[in-house]
Amino acid sequence: MSLDFTSCKYKEIIDAISKSDYEVLTIGEYISRSPKPEKFIIIRHDVDLDSQYQLKFAKYEASVGIKTTYYFRYVPEIFDREIISKVHTLGHEVGYHYEVLTKTKGDISSAMMLFNEELSDFKKSWNTQTICPHGGSFVEGEEGYTLKGIIKLIPKLIKGKKVFSSWSSFDIWDKYNFEDYGIRGDAYYSIDFENILYLSDTGRSWDKRFKRLDNVNSKINPQFNIKNSNQIIELIKSNSVKGIYLLVHNEQWKSNLKDWFFWYVAQIIRRTGKKIIFGY
């Protein structure tokens, strides 16, 4: 057994899925399929950091015949056309990871114009049919995902400077309808989670106790308290759940011990910070 939250451990999960009776669906396939398969797993990747790193995972998934959905942010450090095209060529679905309200500082009209502009680029280049909101955004020029980024944020937080976005990407749909923009659906709004087990690695943990915002309404979720990847593998082998939705951030799954350690420390600090902020 390999260490949890390593690329090797993720391969073990994918291997278990590939050998199972589950049908693997992209977000777009789930939305368009009627009726739904009797047993299925949806695998979604949110690309928040390091687009180059995604290829390793996309290639392995494709090598065992699995297609997943990759949602790329439209920011310079992530929006790499060559990388995204390679992921798309491997057979994976490419989606738009939108954060336009943060970019426009809450101006909804400007946000929707920007949304349409960015989405059009995705649709033209990779026939994008689904979208997904980016959560946990920082204000422009800030970055607090890595240990180095968190250390840089600490002095600004002490001085009371704003580093976290005040806007939720979901808010734009209170006034607008995403279907009017020629897309098939949204990774949250278009999924019926009632009978689906939703598992997210947000915060480098599967444990629901660390999920402040990343939750869905499901009557299945309370029955399972998954704390590590080995439990997910056993769950897949047991065939005890008909529908599973896996949210995977590839940057959480490191390829060497040094990166794994520093990322682990960074996530502990982030979780502690979130707990303090939400408590306050």
Side-chain angles (χ1 to χ4, degrees):
M1 291 288 186
S2 55
L3 191 64
D4 207 353
F5 288 99
T6 59
S7 56
C8 289
K9 179 58 70 177
Y10 182 68
K11 288 181 179 179
E12 288 182 22
I13 295 175
I14 291 300
D15 288 343
I17 293 172
S18 68
K19 296 173 183 176
S20 73
D21 295 329
Y22 286 96
E23 183 173 351
V24 183
L25 303 176
T26 64
I27 298 292
E29 287 173 337
Y30 171 86
I31 293 171
S32 63
R33 289 281 293 271
S34 182
K36 310 301 183 192
E38 181 181 356
K39 292 176 56 180
F40 62 87
I41 295 179
I42 300 168
I43 303 178
R44 166 185 142 210
H45 298 281
D46 286 359
V47 184
D48 296 336
L49 291 171
D50 195 355
S51 55
Q52 174 69 42
Y53 194 58
Q54 312 303 313
L55 275 179
K56 178 177 184 176
F57 296 82
K59 287 179 179 178
Y60 189 77
E61 290 167 341
S63 73
V64 295
I66 286 178
K67 294 186 296 180
T68 66
T69 301
Y70 283 79
Y71 287 107
F72 289 87
R73 297 171 63 197
Y74 200 96
V75 292
E77 59 270 26
I78 300 298
F79 192 72
D80 186 318
R81 292 184 182 278
E82 182 179 356
I83 296 298
I84 299 175
S85 293
K86 287 180 179 179
V87 171
H88 187 253
T89 300
L90 287 167
H92 301 294
E93 177 185 13
V94 168
Y96 169 36
H97 206 25
Y98 60 96
E99 50 190 309
V100 289
L101 264 184
T102 297
K103 291 181 178 181
T104 61
K105 296 181 173 60
D107 186 323
I108 293 184
S109 296
S110 297
M112 291 314 300
M113 287 190 289
L114 183 60
F115 176 89
N116 190 47
E117 177 184 323
E118 293 180 351
L119 175 63
S120 296
D121 202 353
F122 272 93
K123 291 173 67 175
K124 179 180 178 181
S125 301
W126 306 289
N127 191 32
T128 290
Q129 297 294 313
T130 66
I131 58 174
C132 177
H134 174 57
S137 295
F138 296 87
V139 297
E140 59 183 283
E142 306 294 351
E143 187 273 311
Y145 295 102
T146 64
L147 184 57
K148 182 178 179 181
I150 291 172
I151 292 172
K152 287 183 177 180
L153 288 182
I154 291 175
K156 297 180 180 181
L157 288 169
I158 293 174
K159 293 178 181 178
K161 292 186 176 180
K162 185 175 181 179
V163 297
F164 300 107
S165 171
S166 303
W167 305 280
S168 168
S169 295
F170 285 114
D171 292 343
I172 58 178
W173 308 128
D174 291 338
K175 185 176 180 181
Y176 295 88
N177 189 334
F178 55 77
E179 293 178 349
D180 293 337
Y181 291 83
I183 53 180
R184 187 175 296 166
D186 180 276
Y188 285 107
Y189 281 110
S190 304
I191 307 293
D192 180 6
F193 285 104
E194 183 179 3
N195 293 303
I196 295 177
L197 177 61
Y198 177 77
L199 298 171
S200 165
D201 69 353
T202 299
R204 195 196 167 280
S205 173
W206 298 111
D207 197 325
K208 295 193 294 292
R209 294 177 301 169
F210 300 124
K211 315 299 180 185
R212 295 288 179 173
L213 299 174
D214 191 10
N215 290 287
V216 300
N217 292 321
S218 169
K219 65 183 182 182
I220 294 181
N221 281 1
Q223 299 178 26
F224 295 88
N225 188 17
I226 301 294
K227 294 184 178 180
N228 59 63
S229 298
N230 288 333
Q231 290 177 302
I232 292 178
I233 293 171
E234 291 305 313
L235 178 71
I236 292 167
K237 291 179 178 179
S238 72
N239 293 309
S240 57
V241 179
K242 298 292 185 180
I244 300 174
Y245 185 123
L246 288 180
L247 168 55
V248 178
H249 299 79
N250 290 341
E251 65 268 15
Q252 307 276 16
W253 305 76
K254 300 304 182 184
S255 299
N256 61 71
L257 189 57
K258 179 183 176 182
D259 290 344
W260 183 94
F261 174 77
F262 283 111
W263 187 264
Y264 175 62
V265 173
Q267 300 316 302
I268 290 177
I269 295 173
R270 286 194 69 190
R271 288 203 297 261
T272 303
K274 285 182 179 180
K275 186 176 182 180
I276 293 172
I277 291 170
F278 275 90
Y280 178 77

